[in-house]
């Protein structure tokens, strides 16, 4: 009998195959969305699964002026000795991770360079974070290094790296050689991914920014322990420092709330897809009411009817699950190598079990929800099904309203966030057109080998017929990046200006208007200022000079603004400056407009590869790809837009199926009304009135929620004005109104043109 029900379910799926497939696809996207957010939250929660997490205490040094101070390794040793009488078994300390080049030296003297993230740590730090180290028997000596298991496999494969030598490239003491003494079973300390763990005692007297923590003694509560710490005061040359502590477990509640909100937002897509799926299944089920009542009259019991509906639910949810697996594989394959640097990369092996769990959960919910239409059929009779009057569809309307609210919430949030990003990140001064930006290649000197051989590389680049112009600047990272310098106003307040440095032909290269004299790159105490900063200096009474960071500079010229400089008015930001510099950390190369930029990048990469080993990545790219933060924001914008499109698609399907069934089931009523003189406006209101009520209620609730969340997050920042703007609410209203009009208008227009005579003929 079960096989018969499955056959009937397959026939029903094929009868409405287009709607079924789209509903299954939207539900599959909901499954993927919720599963990946769950995985991301679970990865963050891994730190809470560390042993004795509720006993972890972080320790900080506080100066007399109440500012935080950093430790030196010798002070950490001293701290460990002073805490032993309190029952503290050890002090864990590790600096924050940084990225650089390391060179491994094999027994034959061959050098293998790699990019690695490394920090300085002590041996107890591994125990503190629940990591075991193979080969490490004691405290790390100054020239010891431990490799993470993943990095050791990357460099050495299955070979044991213990005993191998390496050195840091570009370090102040590049001649120092370190020896690998162990391999850690993981590569994360807290949330930091680390490849090489050097000894904290490498620079024993150097103040370093480190995370320091201990376990709370077994027989001591935190308030007592904190009181004991307050008694520890050290004397330094610059004054005394005292200990301050914080129980790390106190952060759990706030993080749990944040994670819950993230999961709730992700579950909205899954919920919307589930609602659309179940509503469609149940509506089709009720359309077949006569068939179901006939089955009941012919002896089919409630169990049989439930098995029939459950079979359809099972097949559709299984199809959605299989689609989610296929989409996951496509998504992960497409995103391979495109994730942001600090973004935790998810694997298919991690995603599939979670998607399976979501599938079984939705299946259980769907089978439970299938009891509802069966309960309504419990007292159904053939006569009642033939004579049944029009129902108000209260449950259906509530579900449509919920879906509309979810879609408006996502769409309104995206409109607001896009305005926020445009206001804060994408409003910079752009003298180059997008086409011109796509013809500028960026060659950063962020590798020791490329810096060492830059002269022969540039000689070949200048001879390339594709190259029109070349300039350099002295700023690590991206061309649109800048650092801050302080300017002390006459009233004593300190303001900030953006600073960038490089060759003075920077302005001509970027087509930035500049008034003043050209100075040599090595000219000392010469500076260019932006027009905005110059106006501020004029108001201050400065003439020809400016004092920044306690250094006097002579103003050599005034330019419009730095490339990509933001124009937002800020109390602490009053303009920008450009310092001529002979130092070079990056080259910008303008490509001929008749040459393919991608082909030139390949050619430039081939030139650099003659001097840079394959083990070192080359970060050669176009100027349009230069800002990593903007790339990450664009990636987030794409993800959120996909969620909004999915939620809108769900609403479109839901409303379209509902209005289709409404107009189909009330054709006789429309014919009678038209015979009695009903006007087209009356017919329009007959069908559209309920959707207008639902739309108005959903819009007000969605607008209020987005506005409250926006005010809550940005009311303390006077720079953010878009939250209170009228633009995003109007855009949301217009977009959703047009969408609703298009979805419902066609079917209502069709039923308004209905010929009553044709309806009578079909009766």
């Amino acid at each position: 009998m079960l096989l018969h029900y499955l056959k009937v379910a397959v026939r029903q799926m094929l009868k409405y195959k287009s709607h079924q497939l789209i509903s299954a696809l939207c539900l599959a996207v909901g499954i993927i969305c919720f599963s990946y957010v769950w995985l991301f939250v679970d990865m963050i929660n891994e730190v809470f699964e560390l042993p004795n997490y509720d006993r972890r205490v972080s320790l900080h040094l506080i100066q007399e002026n109440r500012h935080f101070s950093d430790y030196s390794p010798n002070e950490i040793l001293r701290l460990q000795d002073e805490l032993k009488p309190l029952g503290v078994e050890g002090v864990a300390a590790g600096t924050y991770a940084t990225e650089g080049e390391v060179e491994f030296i094999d027994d034959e003297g061959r050098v293998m360079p790699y990019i690695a993230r490394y920090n300085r740590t002590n041996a107890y730090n591994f125990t503190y974070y629940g990591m075991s180290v193979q080969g490490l028997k004691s405290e790390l000596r100054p020239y010891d290094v431990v490799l993470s298991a993943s990095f050791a496999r990357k460099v050495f494969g299955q070979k044991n790296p213990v005993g191998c030598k390496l050195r840091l490239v570009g370090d102040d003491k590049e001649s120092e050689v370190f020896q690998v003494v162990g391999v850690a079973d993981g590569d994360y300390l807290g949330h930091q991914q680390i490849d090489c763990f050097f000894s904290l005692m490498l620079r024993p007297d150097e103040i370093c920014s480190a995370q320091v923590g201990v376990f709370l003694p077994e027989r001591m509560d935190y308030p007592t322990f904190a009181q004991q710490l307050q008694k520890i005061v050290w004397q330094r040359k610059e004054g005394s420092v005292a200990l301050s502590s914080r129980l790390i477990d106190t952060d759990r509640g706030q993080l749990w709330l944040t994670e819950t909100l993230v999961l709730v937002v992700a579950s909205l897509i899954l919920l919307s897809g589930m609602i659309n799926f179940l509503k469609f299944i149940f509506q089709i089920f009720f359309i077949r009411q006569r068939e179901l009542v006939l089955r009941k009259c012919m002896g089919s019991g409630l169990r049989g009817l439930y098995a029939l509906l459950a079979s359809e639910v099972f097949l559709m949810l299984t199809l959605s699950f299989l689609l989610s697996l296929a989409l996951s594989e496509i998504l992960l394959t497409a995103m391979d190598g495109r994730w942001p640097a600090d973004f935790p990369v998810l694997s298919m092996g991690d995603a599939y079990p979670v998607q399976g769990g979501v599938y079984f959960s939705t299946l259980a919910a769907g089978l439970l929800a299938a009891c509802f239409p069966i309960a309504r059929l419990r007292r159904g009779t053939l006569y009642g099904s033939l004579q049944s009057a029009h129902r108000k569809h209260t449950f259906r309307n509530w579900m449509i309203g919920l879906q509309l609210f979810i879609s408006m919430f996502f769409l309104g949030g995206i409109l607001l966030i896009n305005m926020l990003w445009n206001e804060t990140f994408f409003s910079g001064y752009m003298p180059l057109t997008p086409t011109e930006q796509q013809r500028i290649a960026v060659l950063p000197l962020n590798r020791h080998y490329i810096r060492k051989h830059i002269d022969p590389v540039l000689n070949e680049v200048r001879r390339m017929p594709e190259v029109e112009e070349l300039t350099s600047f002295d700023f690590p990272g991206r061309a649109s990046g800048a650092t801050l310098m302080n300017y002390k106003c006459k009233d004593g307040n300190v303001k900030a200006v953006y600073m960038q440095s490089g060759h003075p032909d920077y302005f001509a290269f970027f087509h930035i208007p500049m008034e003043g004299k050209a100075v040599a790159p090595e000219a000392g105490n010469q500076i260019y200022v932006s027009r905005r900063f110059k106006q501020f200096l004029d108001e201050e009474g400065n003439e020809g000079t400016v004092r920044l960071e306690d250094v006097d500079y002579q103003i050599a010229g005034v330019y419009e603004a730095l490339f990509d400089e933001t124009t937002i008015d800020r109390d602490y930001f009053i303009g920008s400056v450009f310092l001529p510099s002979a130092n070079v950390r990056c080259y910008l190369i303008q490509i001929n407009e008749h040459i393919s930029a991608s082909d030139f990048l390949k050619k430039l990469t081939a030139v650099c590869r003659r001097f840079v080993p394959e083990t070192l990545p080359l970060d050669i790219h176009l100027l349009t790809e230069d800002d990593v933060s903007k790339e990450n924001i664009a990636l987030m914008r794409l993800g959120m837009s996909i969620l909004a499109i999915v939620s809108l698609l769900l609403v479109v399907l839901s409303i379209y199926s509902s209005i289709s069934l409404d107009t189909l089931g009330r054709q006789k009523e429309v014919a009678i009304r038209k015979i009695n003189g009903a006007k087209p406006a009356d017919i329009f209101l007959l069908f559209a009135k309920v959707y207008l009520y639902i739309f108005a209620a959903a819009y007000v609730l969605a607008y209020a929620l987005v506005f409250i969340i926006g005010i809550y997050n940005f009311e303390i920042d006077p720079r953010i004005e878009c939250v209170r703007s009228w633009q995003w609410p109007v855009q949301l209203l217009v977009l959703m109104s047009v969408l609703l009009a298009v979805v419902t208008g066609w079917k209502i227009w069709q039923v308004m043109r209905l010929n009553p005579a044709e309806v009578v003929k079909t009766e």
Side-chain angles (χ1 to χ4, degrees):
M1 199 65 182
L2 182 60
L3 183 61
H4 168 71
Y5 291 141
L6 290 174
K7 290 181 180 178
V8 174
V10 171
R11 285 201 300 268
Q12 284 299 124
M13 290 176 61
L14 295 177
K15 185 177 180 180
Y16 301 94
K17 51 182 176 295
S18 298
H19 286 78
Q20 297 275 27
L21 181 60
I22 296 176
S23 297
L25 183 61
C26 292
L27 182 57
V29 173
I31 292 174
I32 292 174
C33 171
F34 184 80
S35 300
Y36 278 70
V37 172
W38 180 279
L39 271 175
F40 181 73
V41 170
D42 187 62
M43 292 179 68
I44 294 177
N45 274 330
E46 286 181 359
V47 68
F48 294 109
E49 299 173 1
L50 293 172
N52 300 315
Y53 186 82
D54 57 337
R55 294 176 48 232
R56 293 171 181 267
V57 178
S58 62
L59 303 180
H60 311 274
L61 286 179
I62 304 294
Q63 298 175 346
E64 293 177 341
N65 57 7
R66 308 308 299 168
H67 291 169
F68 285 99
S69 178
D70 292 320
Y71 297 84
S72 71
N74 281 333
E75 287 176 331
I76 292 174
L77 291 178
R78 178 181 176 182
L79 178 63
Q80 185 166 304
D81 293 336
E82 295 194 21
L83 293 181
K84 279 184 180 179
L86 299 179
V88 175
E89 55 192 53
V91 175
T95 62
Y96 293 94
T98 186
E99 186 176 276
E101 293 178 56
V102 296
E103 290 181 338
F104 288 91
I105 308 169
D106 62 16
D107 297 336
E108 300 178 2
R110 291 177 298 187
V111 175
M112 299 179 294
Y114 286 89
I115 298 297
R117 288 177 59 86
Y118 56 84
N119 80 334
R120 289 156 58 189
T121 184
N122 61 4
Y124 190 73
N125 210 27
F126 297 110
T127 304
Y128 189 74
Y129 284 103
M131 298 171 61
S132 61
V133 181
Q134 300 177 6
L136 183 63
K137 304 300 182 183
S138 60
E139 182 59 67
L140 288 169
R141 295 168 297 183
Y143 292 97
D144 288 346
V145 61
V146 172
L147 305 182
S148 69
S150 59
F151 190 63
R153 287 192 300 269
K154 175 182 176 180
V155 178
F156 297 97
Q158 299 301 318
K159 179 183 175 182
N160 186 0
V162 174
C164 293
K165 309 289 185 181
L166 69 85
R167 63 170 173 255
L168 285 172
V169 179
D171 192 68
D172 293 338
K173 298 183 179 179
E174 196 170 317
S175 60
E176 295 177 338
V177 177
F178 300 86
Q179 183 176 9
V180 178
V181 296
V183 177
D185 59 359
D187 54 4
Y188 277 87
L189 283 184
H191 294 302
Q192 295 187 94
Q193 183 179 2
I194 300 173
D195 300 318
C196 301
F197 305 88
F198 292 93
S199 173
L200 194 65
M201 299 307 297
L202 180 62
R203 312 278 189 267
D205 297 317
E206 179 182 275
I207 300 294
C208 55
S209 180
Q211 295 174 301
V212 178
V214 298
F215 287 119
L216 189 67
E218 289 283 356
R219 299 181 180 180
M220 185 180 296
D221 58 14
Y222 176 69
T224 304
F225 183 66
Q227 290 177 0
Q228 295 295 326
L229 291 179
Q230 292 176 358
K231 300 177 182 179
I232 301 178
V233 179
W234 297 338
Q235 294 297 324
R236 285 179 173 175
K237 294 180 180 179
E238 62 273 15
S240 62
V241 291
L243 276 178
S244 173
S245 63
R246 182 175 60 87
L247 190 63
I248 298 178
D249 196 43
T250 56
D251 297 336
R252 191 196 296 260
Q254 183 65 32
L255 183 60
W256 178 86
L257 178 61
T258 303
E259 292 173 347
T260 302
L261 291 176
V262 171
L263 287 174
V264 167
V265 171
S267 65
L268 291 178
I269 294 294
L270 179 61
L271 176 63
S272 184
M274 193 68 182
I275 288 173
N276 187 69
F277 162 75
L278 291 177
K279 187 174 67 62
F280 179 75
I281 289 290
F282 293 167
Q283 281 187 321
I284 299 301
F285 197 69
F286 279 117
I287 287 176
R288 299 155 54 201
Q289 193 172 32
R290 296 185 182 185
E291 171 199 342
L292 299 175
V293 175
L294 283 173
R295 286 178 178 271
K296 184 178 178 182
C297 294
M298 296 176 64
S300 180
L302 292 178
R303 290 185 179 179
L305 296 176
Y306 176 79
L308 181 64
L309 180 57
S311 299
E312 297 180 15
V313 172
F314 170 76
L315 285 179
M316 281 299 300
L317 280 173
T318 302
L319 175 61
S320 298
F321 173 63
L322 295 177
L323 283 174
S324 72
L325 296 181
L327 290 175
S328 290
E329 189 155 351
I330 294 172
L331 176 65
L332 291 176
T333 302
M335 291 301 298
D336 186 28
R338 294 182 172 87
W339 298 103
D342 296 329
F343 195 84
V345 180
L346 307 177
S347 65
M348 297 180 187
D350 297 328
Y352 288 165
V354 179
Q355 289 177 241
V358 176
Y359 161 69
F360 286 113
S361 300
T362 54
L363 180 60
L367 295 178
L368 182 62
C371 298
F372 173 72
I374 299 301
R376 292 185 59 183
L377 288 172
R378 185 174 183 180
R379 296 182 180 180
T381 62
L382 181 59
Y383 177 78
S385 68
L386 295 174
Q387 301 296 326
S388 60
H390 169 65
R391 295 185 176 89
K392 293 184 180 298
H393 301 296
T394 304
F395 175 77
R396 183 203 68 178
N397 293 339
W398 275 101
M399 293 301 99
I400 292 176
L402 180 58
Q403 286 182 296
L404 262 177
F405 167 76
I406 292 173
S407 296
M408 289 184 182
F409 172 75
F410 272 109
L411 185 58
I414 288 174
L415 291 174
L416 178 58
I417 290 174
N418 281 338
M419 290 180 64
L420 173 66
W421 283 336
N422 289 334
E423 185 176 337
T424 55
F425 293 102
F426 297 96
S427 60
Y429 175 63
M430 290 291 181
L432 298 180
T433 65
T435 302
E436 290 173 325
Q437 293 181 45
Q438 292 173 356
R439 293 193 295 108
I440 295 179
V442 181
L443 175 61
L445 306 187
N446 55 355
R447 302 288 178 258
H448 168 72
Y449 283 84
I450 192 68
R451 291 195 300 269
K452 185 177 179 180
H453 300 94
I454 189 59
D455 289 337
V457 170
L458 289 180
N459 289 335
E460 292 205 31
V461 169
R462 290 189 175 98
R463 290 196 297 265
M464 291 181 180
E466 302 92 337
V467 176
E468 291 186 348
E469 195 175 352
L470 185 145
T471 190
S472 63
F473 68 100
D474 178 28
F475 192 83
R478 61 186 193 273
S480 58
T483 188
L484 293 180
M485 295 184 74
N486 291 328
Y487 171 77
K488 190 173 182 179
C489 305
K490 284 192 173 182
D491 59 6
N493 292 327
V494 176
K495 303 290 185 179
V497 294
Y498 282 156
M499 185 277 287
Q500 200 173 71
S501 61
H503 198 284
D505 61 8
Y506 169 93
F507 305 108
F509 186 89
F510 281 106
H511 302 171
I512 299 174
M514 193 273 287
E515 301 171 0
K517 61 181 180 180
V519 299
E522 60 275 3
N525 293 348
Q526 297 283 330
I527 197 169
Y528 296 92
V529 300
S530 68
R531 190 175 307 280
R532 183 179 175 190
F533 187 37
K534 183 63 167 61
Q535 293 173 354
F536 187 87
L537 292 176
D538 291 341
E539 294 173 1
E540 291 271 303
N542 291 305
E543 296 182 1
T545 61
V546 59
R547 188 173 181 83
L548 298 171
E549 304 286 354
D550 296 326
V551 178
D552 291 319
Y553 295 93
Q554 182 179 358
I555 298 176
V558 179
Y559 59 89
E560 188 63 31
L562 292 176
F563 174 75
D564 202 22
E565 179 182 339
T566 180
T567 57
I568 296 178
D569 290 330
R570 304 182 181 181
D571 292 337
Y572 59 89
F573 171 70
I574 53 175
S576 63
V577 296
F578 186 90
L579 290 174
S581 174
N583 296 327
V584 180
R585 301 197 194 185
C586 187
Y587 282 96
L588 301 179
I589 306 168
Q590 186 175 1
I591 309 168
N592 189 289
E593 60 181 350
H594 303 295
I595 303 299
S596 169
S598 59
D599 292 342
F600 176 78
L601 292 185
K602 293 178 182 178
K603 188 174 180 180
L604 180 60
T605 301
V607 171
C608 295
R609 278 296 175 205
R610 300 177 192 172
F611 310 99
V612 181
E614 292 288 343
T615 54
L616 295 177
L618 283 172
D619 187 23
I620 302 174
H621 54 273
L622 295 177
L623 186 62
T624 51
E625 306 166 357
D626 196 48
D627 197 330
V628 177
S629 62
K630 288 186 178 180
E631 287 186 6
N632 295 343
I633 290 174
L635 185 63
M636 293 171 59
R637 176 183 287 180
L638 176 62
M640 295 179 66
S641 300
I642 291 174
L643 294 180
I645 292 172
V646 171
S647 65
L648 289 175
L649 181 60
L650 293 173
V651 169
V652 168
L653 289 173
S654 180
I655 295 178
Y656 182 78
S657 62
S658 298
I659 194 67
S660 299
L661 296 175
D662 283 348
T663 55
L664 181 65
R666 302 177 68 179
Q667 287 185 359
K668 183 168 66 174
E669 177 186 350
V670 172
I672 295 173
R673 286 177 180 270
K674 294 187 73 173
I675 292 172
N676 291 327
K679 299 178 180 179
D682 299 327
I683 305 300
F684 172 80
L685 290 176
L686 177 67
F687 291 99
K689 181 168 61 175
V690 63
Y691 295 101
L692 292 175
Y693 290 153
I694 294 172
F695 176 84
Y699 176 79
V700 171
L701 292 175
Y703 166 75
L705 182 59
V706 174
F707 182 79
I708 291 172
I709 293 176
I711 290 295
Y712 175 77
N713 285 282
F714 302 113
E715 65 175 349
I716 61 174
D717 194 338
R719 299 172 296 161
I720 308 301
E721 301 176 354
C722 58
V723 177
R724 296 176 176 84
S725 171
W726 57 268
Q727 296 181 15
W728 69 267
V730 172
Q731 291 175 358
L732 175 63
L733 179 63
V734 171
L735 287 173
M736 294 304 297
S737 299
V738 171
L739 180 66
L740 185 64
V742 171
V743 173
T744 60
W746 170 249
K747 300 302 294 185
I748 295 178
W749 182 75
Q750 282 185 322
V751 79
M752 286 168 59
R753 298 178 64 251
L754 194 67
N755 187 350
E758 296 294 333
V759 177
V760 173
K761 288 180 182 179
T762 59
E763 283 294 317

